[in-house]
């Protein structure tokens, strides 16, 4: 009985091996026939022609990108140049991909139809991204900022690191990266402190009611001359700004160049100058006093 079972197992194994060998042989034969059908002079010329066309496309796009990079930064800001180069790369990939698909007989009309349906579906699923994309086109078109500008959007402030189609990335004064969607920039009050070459900053100070107002005015006018970072053109301004509860309010407005001097340096110089000028003129700055009286219980 065992010998009969062993003989049956050998027969089945041999049959399976023969069938597998026959199947593999047929597959190999068909694959070789398919490979031979591809290796024709006609197909060889098609491959060479396709490589030449792709090479020409690459050369044309390389020349285009070369000319874009040669545009002076005064005419084309670096972040706009980066976006244009990225767009050119996308167009290059698209054209090469479409050409390769056409070589394999893929109908482009079917792809365009599928792309239209997919575009509608994606548009409904990503309305926020589409809104940011459209807003990004307005942000880029208005040219309200560039890399390196100090901006304020919705209470968030920082230096611009990049301007993209979907968002603007900034880093704050404490070196934290913040991504601001372009739709937020369009729908919120936007402030660019670096848009103009010069910037004005105002300082408020009070003087004692017993002070000579003319002397105080002349003392405050001398402050800009003590500050190296303050511009003399445009001319600084000094004026009285009303009577407060504990003193007479004054304002000094000075101009500085953000590209050369930081706001913190200007503030330090002006505040030191105010204190020095008032001390020399004998002008007192009022401050709250608290009188404490000790009463002894009898």
């Amino acid at each position: 009985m065992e010998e009969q079972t062993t003989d049956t197992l050998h027969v089945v194994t041999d049959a399976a091996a023969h069938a597998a060998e026959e199947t593999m042989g047929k597959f190999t034969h068909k694959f070789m026939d398919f490979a031979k059908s591809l290796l024709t002079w006609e197909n060889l010329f098609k491959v060479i022609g396709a490589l030449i066309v792709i090479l020409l496309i690459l050369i044309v796009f390389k020349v285009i990108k070369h000319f874009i990079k040669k545009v002076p930064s005064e005419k084309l800001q670096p972040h706009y140049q980066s976006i244009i180069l990225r767009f050119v790369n996308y167009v290059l990939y698209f054209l090469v991909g479409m050409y390769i698909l056409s070589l394999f007989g893929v109908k482009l009309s079917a792809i365009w139809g599928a792309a239209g349906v997919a575009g509608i579906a994606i548009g409904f699923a990503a309305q926020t991204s589409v809104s940011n994309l459209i807003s990004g086109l307005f942000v880029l078109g208005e040219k309200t900022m560039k890399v390196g500008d100090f901006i304020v959007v919705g209470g968030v402030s920082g230096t611009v690191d990049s301007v993209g189609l979907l968002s603007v990335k900034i880093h704050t004064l404490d070196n934290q990266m913040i991504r601001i969607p372009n739709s937020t920039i369009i729908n919120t009050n936007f402030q660019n402190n670096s848009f103009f070459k010069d910037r004005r900053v105002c300082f408020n100070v009070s003087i004692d009611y017993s002070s000579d107002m003319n002397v105080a005015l002349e003392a405050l006018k001398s402050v800009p001359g003590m500050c190296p970072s303050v511009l003399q053109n445009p001319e600084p301004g000094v004026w009285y700004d009303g009577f407060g509860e504990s003193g007479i309010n004054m304002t000094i407005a000075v101009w500085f160049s953000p590209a050369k001097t930081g706001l913190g340096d200007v503030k330090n110089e002006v505040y030191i100058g105010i204190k020095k000028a008032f001390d020399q003129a004998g002008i007192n700055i009022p401050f709250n006093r608290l009188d404490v009286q000790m009463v002894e219980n009898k």
Side-chain angles (χ1 to χ4, degrees), residues 223-225 227-234 236 253-256 261 266 269-270:
V223 172
C227 307
S229 300
V230 171
L231 301 176
Q232 301 305 316
N233 186 22
V254 299
W255 293 83
F256 73 101
T261 309
V266 176
E269 293 178 4
V270 172

Side-chain angles (χ1 to χ4, degrees), residues 10-284:
H10 282 303
V11 171
V12 173
T13 304
D14 291 341
H18 179 72
E21 183 178 356
E22 184 178 357
T23 301
M24 183 60 68
K26 290 181 179 179
F27 175 78
T28 303
H29 180 71
K30 289 182 179 180
F31 178 77
M32 293 301 296
D33 290 341
F34 175 74
K36 289 179 180 179
S37 66
L38 292 178
L39 296 176
T40 61
W41 287 107
E42 182 181 358
N43 290 337
L44 179 61
F45 286 128
K46 285 184 178 180
V47 172
I48 295 175
L51 292 177
I52 293 175
V53 171
I54 294 175
L55 181 61
L56 290 175
I57 293 175
L58 292 176
I59 292 175
V60 170
F61 274 86
K62 189 173 182 179
V63 172
I64 293 174
K65 290 192 288 186
H66 175 75
F67 280 109
I68 294 174
K69 292 179 180 179
K70 287 293 184 180
V71 177
S73 58
E74 294 81 10
K75 296 183 178 180
L76 184 64
Q77 297 176 3
H79 64 278
Y80 290 111
Q81 184 185 85
S82 176
I83 293 174
I84 293 174
L85 289 174
R86 197 180 309 164
F87 177 76
V88 170
N89 285 332
Y90 291 154
V91 173
L92 170 63
Y93 301 149
F94 176 79
L95 291 179
V96 172
M98 290 295 99
Y99 178 70
I100 292 175
L101 289 176
S102 66
L103 292 179
F104 286 95
V106 178
K107 294 183 178 180
L108 299 182
S109 57
I111 295 178
W112 287 117
V117 175
I120 295 174
I122 294 173
F124 280 109
Q127 294 182 12
T128 302
S129 297
V130 173
S131 174
N132 287 327
L133 179 61
I134 296 174
S135 299
L137 296 176
F138 283 107
V139 170
L140 294 173
E142 290 179 342
K143 298 181 179 180
T144 54
M145 77 182 88
K146 63 181 183 299
V147 174
D149 286 352
F150 190 87
I151 65 172
V152 181
V153 182
V156 177
S157 60
T159 304
V160 178
D161 292 324
S162 66
V163 181
L165 289 175
L166 294 178
S167 64
V168 172
K169 293 180 181 178
I170 67 173
H171 68 270
T172 60
L173 294 176
D174 55 351
N175 208 30
Q176 301 295 317
M177 192 280 285
I178 297 180
R179 176 182 174 273
I180 305 175
N182 285 328
S183 59
T184 301
I185 296 176
I186 292 296
N187 297 323
T188 309
N189 290 335
F190 170 83
Q191 178 179 333
N192 187 346
N193 293 336
S194 305
F195 189 80
F196 296 104
K197 184 180 68 173
D198 299 330
R199 178 185 171 189
R200 194 183 79 163
V201 59
C202 295
F203 300 86
N204 300 317
V205 63
S206 295
I207 61 173
D208 194 276
Y209 273 103
S210 61
S211 303
D212 187 319
M213 295 180 65
N214 290 323
V215 174
L217 191 64
E218 293 302 320
L220 201 58
K221 286 182 178 179
S222 67
V223 172
M226 303 178 186
C227 307
S229 300
V230 171
L231 301 176
Q232 301 305 316
N233 186 22
E235 184 179 357
V238 177
W239 61 86
Y240 281 103
D241 200 25
F243 298 100
E245 294 181 356
S246 58
I248 305 173
N249 299 327
M250 303 183 70
T251 299
I252 176 173
V254 299
W255 293 83
F256 73 101
S257 178
K260 299 178 181 178
T261 309
L263 178 60
D265 295 333
V266 176
K267 286 184 175 182
N268 291 336
E269 293 178 4
V270 172
Y271 281 126
I272 291 174
I274 291 173
K275 183 65 168 60
K276 185 182 296 185
F278 280 0
D279 287 345
Q280 292 175 354
I283 303 297
N284 295 322

